[in-house]
Amino acid sequence: RSHPHVHKFSVETVQWYPHDTGMFTSSSFDKTLKIWDTNTLQPADVFHFEGTVYSHHMSPVATKHSLIAVGTKSPKVQLCDLKSGSCSHILQGHRQEVLAVSWSPRQEYVLATASADSRVKLWDVRRASGCLSTLDQHNGEKSKASSEAASTAHNGRVNGLCYTNDGLYLLTIGTDDRMRLWNSSTGENTLVNYGKVCNESRKGLKFATSCDCNPEFAFVPYDSTIAVYTIFTGELVTMLRGHYSTVDCCVFQPNFQELYSGSKDCTILAWIPALREPLPDDVSEKSLPQQHLNPAYEDAWSSSDDEG
């Protein structure tokens, strides 16, 4: 807190520069986006906005541009150019504040944005003519008598966005307590039913998807727990319990298959999958008295003094 360049209000998003660890970015309710030099821990650049910054994102795959997408209290999506230091590029189409932004991990010019206006829009940032598509939860089947009723992704504020690792699908979360899975190339709602996905966040909800798992999972903050869903069947697999207060964010680390979660209880927890030894062919899983953990993951502590 004593650092001269500290953010003055809540920090909403932090991200490493995808191509090297010499730089990272942070954005805050203090209306700024800061580009940090890791070696000096000083801001190399600061972008100022008229309203609260809810979310920002740099493309993990871009080689031809260095744009940071920024969602703020304004309905205009801001694109800040790291190379020029300017923030002149603006995407117009939303009607209310932009709560979440995410670049496609598959196509470097495609950006998804989610807004309090119930809409999710996909953009090709090279096109000046507006967005590629606006996702429609009814897949075009609802009456088009009112253009106002058409093309909403949720029946509430859309405050969470996350692409699957391959970029083929996009998950969205809204304050209507629903999570939806979309085909990112056709914009079609796949109609996977996740049941009630409790979402009381008044700002952006930072959730995560797995990578190199079978099946693939979504990890969603749910009060003081993390709900784990299978992405393509909608099954609620488990609730991860360990925090004592509201969970704010989840991040998945594919190299170690680890999940990290941050909470208002001032802790960060690391979660690892419980590894089980393969069962012999002649033993059925049901006949085992308990989960057969790999001995390396069993509790090896002794409570007795004389056992050394």
mmCIF file of all heavy atoms in Angstrom, residues 9 119 150 168 172 245 254 256 266-267 273:
data_model
loop_
_atom_site.group_PDB
_atom_site.id
_atom_site.type_symbol
_atom_site.label_atom_id
_atom_site.label_comp_id
_atom_site.label_asym_id
_atom_site.label_seq_id
_atom_site.Cartn_x
_atom_site.Cartn_y
_atom_site.Cartn_z
ATOM 1 N N PHE A 9 -8.174 2.267 -5.807
ATOM 2 C CA PHE A 9 -9.368 1.497 -5.477
ATOM 3 C C PHE A 9 -9.173 0.044 -5.909
ATOM 4 O O PHE A 9 -8.105 -0.330 -6.377
ATOM 5 C CB PHE A 9 -10.616 2.107 -6.142
ATOM 6 C CG PHE A 9 -10.913 3.517 -5.698
ATOM 7 C CD1 PHE A 9 -10.846 4.568 -6.597
ATOM 8 C CD2 PHE A 9 -11.238 3.792 -4.376
ATOM 9 C CE1 PHE A 9 -11.102 5.871 -6.192
ATOM 10 C CE2 PHE A 9 -11.504 5.097 -3.960
ATOM 11 C CZ PHE A 9 -11.438 6.130 -4.868
ATOM 12 N N ARG A 119 -26.401 -8.230 -23.431
ATOM 13 C CA ARG A 119 -25.889 -8.678 -24.724
ATOM 14 C C ARG A 119 -24.422 -9.106 -24.664
ATOM 15 O O ARG A 119 -23.636 -8.579 -23.873
ATOM 16 C CB ARG A 119 -26.048 -7.568 -25.772
ATOM 17 C CG ARG A 119 -27.512 -7.321 -26.154
ATOM 18 C CD ARG A 119 -27.647 -6.103 -27.062
ATOM 19 N NE ARG A 119 -28.994 -6.026 -27.620
ATOM 20 C CZ ARG A 119 -30.038 -5.528 -26.972
ATOM 21 N NH1 ARG A 119 -29.894 -5.067 -25.740
ATOM 22 N NH2 ARG A 119 -31.236 -5.500 -27.530
ATOM 23 N N ALA A 150 -35.034 -8.917 -29.283
ATOM 24 C CA ALA A 150 -34.200 -9.867 -30.022
ATOM 25 C C ALA A 150 -32.751 -9.817 -29.539
ATOM 26 O O ALA A 150 -32.269 -8.798 -29.059
ATOM 27 C CB ALA A 150 -34.271 -9.566 -31.506
ATOM 28 N N LEU A 168 -13.062 -22.775 -29.616
ATOM 29 C CA LEU A 168 -14.229 -23.185 -30.419
ATOM 30 C C LEU A 168 -15.552 -22.828 -29.747
ATOM 31 O O LEU A 168 -16.590 -22.736 -30.407
ATOM 32 C CB LEU A 168 -14.179 -24.688 -30.696
ATOM 33 C CG LEU A 168 -13.018 -25.160 -31.581
ATOM 34 C CD1 LEU A 168 -13.012 -26.685 -31.684
ATOM 35 C CD2 LEU A 168 -13.110 -24.527 -32.966
ATOM 36 N N THR A 172 -20.669 -17.983 -21.175
ATOM 37 C CA THR A 172 -21.077 -16.691 -20.607
ATOM 38 C C THR A 172 -21.876 -16.931 -19.337
ATOM 39 O O THR A 172 -22.555 -17.953 -19.199
ATOM 40 C CB THR A 172 -21.941 -15.880 -21.591
ATOM 41 O OG1 THR A 172 -23.167 -16.598 -21.859
ATOM 42 C CG2 THR A 172 -21.211 -15.646 -22.895
ATOM 43 N N SER A 245 -14.841 -16.886 2.832
ATOM 44 C CA SER A 245 -15.619 -15.737 2.385
ATOM 45 C C SER A 245 -15.780 -15.822 0.871
ATOM 46 O O SER A 245 -15.310 -16.777 0.239
ATOM 47 C CB SER A 245 -14.910 -14.443 2.797
ATOM 48 O OG SER A 245 -15.732 -13.329 2.506
ATOM 49 N N PRO A 254 -2.515 -24.762 -16.773
ATOM 50 C CA PRO A 254 -2.516 -26.032 -17.500
ATOM 51 C C PRO A 254 -1.243 -26.859 -17.319
ATOM 52 O O PRO A 254 -1.287 -28.082 -17.372
ATOM 53 C CB PRO A 254 -2.710 -25.617 -18.955
ATOM 54 C CG PRO A 254 -2.289 -24.185 -19.018
ATOM 55 C CD PRO A 254 -2.572 -23.592 -17.671
ATOM 56 N N PHE A 256 0.513 -27.528 -14.729
ATOM 57 C CA PHE A 256 0.458 -28.369 -13.531
ATOM 58 C C PHE A 256 -0.944 -28.896 -13.257
ATOM 59 O O PHE A 256 -1.164 -29.567 -12.255
ATOM 60 C CB PHE A 256 0.948 -27.573 -12.308
ATOM 61 C CG PHE A 256 2.335 -27.044 -12.453
ATOM 62 C CD1 PHE A 256 2.566 -25.686 -12.620
ATOM 63 C CD2 PHE A 256 3.427 -27.896 -12.437
ATOM 64 C CE1 PHE A 256 3.851 -25.186 -12.772
ATOM 65 C CE2 PHE A 256 4.716 -27.411 -12.579
ATOM 66 C CZ PHE A 256 4.923 -26.053 -12.750
ATOM 67 N N CYS A 266 -8.915 -13.024 2.084
ATOM 68 C CA CYS A 266 -7.498 -12.624 1.984
ATOM 69 C C CYS A 266 -6.560 -13.807 1.767
ATOM 70 O O CYS A 266 -5.385 -13.755 2.143
ATOM 71 C CB CYS A 266 -7.057 -11.835 3.226
ATOM 72 S SG CYS A 266 -8.054 -10.368 3.513
ATOM 73 N N THR A 267 -7.068 -14.895 1.186
ATOM 74 C CA THR A 267 -6.193 -16.030 0.883
ATOM 75 C C THR A 267 -6.285 -16.379 -0.603
ATOM 76 O O THR A 267 -7.276 -16.085 -1.270
ATOM 77 C CB THR A 267 -6.575 -17.300 1.684
ATOM 78 O OG1 THR A 267 -7.883 -17.733 1.284
ATOM 79 C CG2 THR A 267 -6.542 -17.040 3.180
ATOM 80 N N PRO A 273 -5.781 -31.940 -8.702
ATOM 81 C CA PRO A 273 -6.657 -33.114 -8.822
ATOM 82 C C PRO A 273 -6.171 -34.230 -7.909
ATOM 83 O O PRO A 273 -4.969 -34.413 -7.718
ATOM 84 C CB PRO A 273 -6.541 -33.505 -10.300
ATOM 85 C CG PRO A 273 -5.357 -32.795 -10.834
ATOM 86 C CD PRO A 273 -5.047 -31.649 -9.935
#
